Amino acid sequence: MKAIEDFTLVGKTILRREDSYLMRGKAQFLDDLPEPKGLIHIAFVLSPYARADILSVDASAARALPGVIDVLTGKDFVDDIKLFAPVIEIGGYRPVGRPVVAGDRVNFVGEYVAVILAESPYVAQDALDLVEVNYNPLPSVAGIKDALKPDAPVLHDHLGDNLIFKSAFETEGFAERFAEGDVVLEEEFQLGRVTGVMIEPRGCMACPDPIATNVTLWTPTQIPHIVRTAIADHLDIAESILRVVTPAVGGGFGTKAHVYPDELIVVALARRLGRAVKWVQDRREELLTNAHAREHILKIRVAAKNDGEISAVHLDVRTNCGAYPNHPYSPTLEATAAVRMMPGPYRIRNYKYDVCSVTTNTAPTGAYRGTGQPSAFLAIEGMMDRIGRRLGLDPAEVRRRNVIRPEEFPYVNVVGVRYDTGSYLPSLERGLEMIGYDAFRAAQPKDRLVDGKYRGIGICNYTEVSGTGAPGWRVRGFAKMPGFDSSRVVVEPDGKVTVYVSQADAGQGHYTTFAQLAADRLGVDWADVMVVEGDTSKTPYGTGTFASRGSVVGGGTVIRCSEKVGVKIRRIAGYMLNADPERLVLRDGRVFDPADAERRLTLREVAETAYSMNNLGLPQGEEHGLEATDYYDPPMVTMANGTHVVQVAVDPEDGRIEIERYAVVHDCGRVINPKIVEGQVHGATVQGIGEALMEEIVYDAEGQHLNANLLDYLLPTAMDVPDLELSHIETPSIDTVAGIKGAAEGGLTGAVPALANAVGDALSGLGVKITRVPLRPSYVFEQIRKARAAGEGRT
Amino acid sequence: MSANKVTVRLTVNGKDYVREVEPRYLLADFLRHELHLTGTHIGCEHGVCGACTVLINGKTGRSCLQFAAALDGAEITTVEGIAGDGPLHPVQEAFHETHALQCGYCTPGFLMTTIEFLAQNPDPDRDEIRQALTNNMCRCTGYLNIIDAVEDAAKRLREGGRKA
């Protein structure tokens, strides 16, 4: 698709229409929706054990509590909800299903053991403490390495061990090419387990329709259509009787791009009882049970020439699946992302990977902003610095020697991913320039110690997968992930426009940006375009808003669909004006021939003809109505890119890391609304700072979750955030509609490796190697202390 | 369930309300479910995230940590009371124009914190703003545009509600 050059509104900052109702407290998030009569509030009894047999559940005291309607356990759902499992078709994946409420075995702390049904949420909470569950605790396992030991407890008997997924890849003649390197470097990197921590936890409410057998599920999800398909599959009901609607969504970040057992449970209960059923998650449940992410171990071996050029890379990635595969991605999501994205912006032609996922007695892991990419780049960017140190080359120079240069595009990487356009080298150079890289290096002492603190610079040059289409999902085994998104654009009888999009906004500003796109293509005021999303009964089917899809796929379909309607507008107007439709222009709410001032109509006049509201009639063969529907399946993936360069100071007295300078260069192709892109970059980068420096879900070796609250799971606050120096490069895609690339995840992907490398550079004089995140002060302090002690021992 | 309900009188956004609730009923639930003022959001229920921040007798407080009954007679301001349906308050204008909100779930809490902060410190520097904003957590914006918004709002308020 060729880039469109006649945009009038694309590329302009338009302030969001969402803000007014959000700032007045009028938005309706799930728990703000009016509650239907007869609403049942549910609460879940959570397993306190990582692995145990459930010997008995005594709910008599809970049932006796006034206001409690019922208490249900796993056996009560066996008849109407199938074992919950994603459909994954990739070699090396072994399916595992999950009862939505545990049967006779629990496999992680937080697993649902019983469901309280009550007349009020307070009573439901009271009843939780009255359910007596008799458990027989069993040996359990939490970490990847422990779960792979031959004597490890096996979670799912039918697998025989804990390997739920294993795959490998190798280019031809890999061993020979690897042997051609002058030096070989090896490292093992680790990323802590994190999660989205949206400020709005999840929740859902199912409302039966009193006059039909239909059910409406309100759920703050990023993937309403996929939720509907999954529920219909597992409850064995027709998709047509289920409507999934998203209220306002208080942040998603991938965590809300899953289907969860509770969504199946409320629909099943509403159907069974004929009453509305609501569940609201609290923060403890959010941290215990929502999809976690990361907890990856990456072993990387790199062979390089003496000039820094990489000869070959072998990457071994191990990920923690948790107790069950998440729906709909399974653990293959981050695992295959990490190994497929590692080559990134570099010319790596000889590549071998081994990858596996391991079941453990921990919460299921899944999607979270960046998906596999922070891990991949922590490894390869970490090696760029190590190559530099080994060979006495500047780490920026090592990157220059390996980066794919502008003249090499379009480029197909070693695992078959096409990079249509990109600014990998210009982005790197600009980032270095912004931070004053050469001057900093020139002044940097060998021991990195300046004014009592160790100071260093870290670089991350990254690619960012966005807008994945059907081929991109199929190649990774996601059999039920459509890839396309869709829209329906309607010019109403009064000439105003409604745009229905298959996606679901969680704060990205779709109600403004999609209106901007339709208005641009139809030549109307953007304020006259309404956007409807997040309702399976109103929009055509689609994949949803995650994995940086919104602008590429959602935006792409809105542009295409608006242009389809534009063609019909021109046809009807041409008939009305007795003019050549091809010559007509849509602008300022009018349709006109620029060369003939007499030939002009308002869009409303054309719409009235289309809707038979005058005596003009339609051209022969033309149908009534003024709308179009579009399904847009984008390319396999669309690669955005960018560079983070960050300067830190590490205080040896307490191990604290201060970010002194932070430069971000960002290229997401055609920008729709610059201020909104800036917001995405800020937000993602700060989540990356969190993942790099403080965030981590901690389990003990047996799988007890140690920090399911926001005092112990640390999120960045305003005090932790430096002012970012931002620079945009706009290199439009030549493969997507209008040249758009995604923008939502690169900030996180860039931040984690850049910060790790900066700390590694700062402490390189001490001989400290940085191989893991998060880099909390206690960990950094301990590394410094050990290195200093070893240094004193030597001298 | 709740034989022992107590009478709670609160003035919320200038209006007087009397309700019978359980003594343990949280102020946040009272506002949200008794008065249907759902702009005050609950994010953590343990006083960390600040989404539920309201003004209690003019001072910010966590409505998720306080019992409505313990505040009998208090004056509460929620996000609905900032501008109602009228023109946006200067702090809201500043948030809008600097793109200081994305999903908007945390925003009511930030607005209440900012209004109190700027009343106490009308001309803050960025470090003081950062410190004040640690009262609240945001997961979307990375805080930078919120810091800009508070700076901008301070200017608007100093200039009598209009931007320079």
Side-chain angles (χ1 to χ4, degrees), chain A residues 338-474:
Chain A
V339 291
R340 286 177 62 79
M341 304 321 155
M342 187 286 295
Y346 300 113
R347 200 185 307 97
I348 293 168
R349 301 310 310 174
N350 302 297
Y351 181 38
K352 173 179 174 175
Y353 69 68
D354 294 285
V355 57
C356 70
S357 294
V358 180
T359 52
T360 63
N361 296 106
T362 62
T365 60
Y368 172 54
R369 203 173 202 168
T371 306
Q373 298 171 104
S375 314
F377 291 106
L378 180 68
I380 190 64
E381 287 291 317
M383 296 317 279
M384 290 291 167
D385 282 12
R386 282 159 176 78
I387 293 169
R389 276 183 221 124
R390 169 76 75 87
L391 298 174
L393 295 168
D394 185 290
E397 189 54 31
V398 177
R399 289 169 172 86
R400 281 191 194 102
R401 291 184 187 176
N402 287 286
V403 78
I404 297 158
R405 290 173 175 274
E407 62 273 17
E408 293 177 77
F409 291 97
Y411 176 93
V412 178
N413 84 0
V414 68
V415 294
V417 175
R418 174 178 152 95
Y419 305 167
D420 62 345
T421 61
S423 57
Y424 306 168
L425 186 61
S427 162
L428 172 65
E429 298 295 4
R430 190 180 293 185
L432 297 172
E433 195 186 305
M434 283 163 72
I435 210 97
Y437 183 80
D438 291 340
F440 179 90
R441 283 287 184 225
Q444 193 182 31
K446 211 169 160 40
D447 66 1
R448 306 318 200 211
L449 198 57
V450 180
D451 300 334
K453 289 183 180 176
Y454 293 101
R455 288 183 157 82
I457 279 190
I459 304 167
C460 177
N461 210 22
Y462 66 86
T463 49
E464 174 184 2
V465 164
S466 71
T468 304
W473 294 112
R474 289 307 107 73

Side-chain angles (χ1 to χ4, degrees), chain B residues 11-60:
Chain B
T11 304
V12 181
N13 303 330
K15 255 177 92 176
D16 296 332
Y17 295 92
V18 184
R19 291 287 188 281
E20 303 280 315
V21 296
E22 288 181 63
R24 62 172 177 170
Y25 209 57
L26 295 173
L27 175 60
D29 289 332
F30 186 94
L31 295 169
R32 292 173 46 73
H33 299 299
E34 287 292 325
L35 307 186
H36 305 293
L37 295 169
T38 54
T40 300
H41 297 141
I42 294 178
C44 71
E45 287 179 284
H46 51 273
V48 185
C49 80
C52 68
T53 303
V54 296
L55 298 181
I56 303 169
N57 296 324
K59 290 189 163 164
T60 53

Side-chain angles (χ1 to χ4, degrees), chain A residues 285-315:
Chain A
E285 293 170 315
E286 192 267 325
L287 288 162
L288 285 176
T289 67
N290 281 355
H292 296 166
R294 318 291 194 259
E295 195 182 346
H296 299 161
I297 300 173
L298 300 98
K299 270 194 221 172
I300 184 167
R301 290 175 67 229
V302 177
K305 296 285 195 190
N306 280 329
D307 65 359
E309 192 191 340
I310 290 175
S311 306
V313 179
H314 179 198
L315 181 66

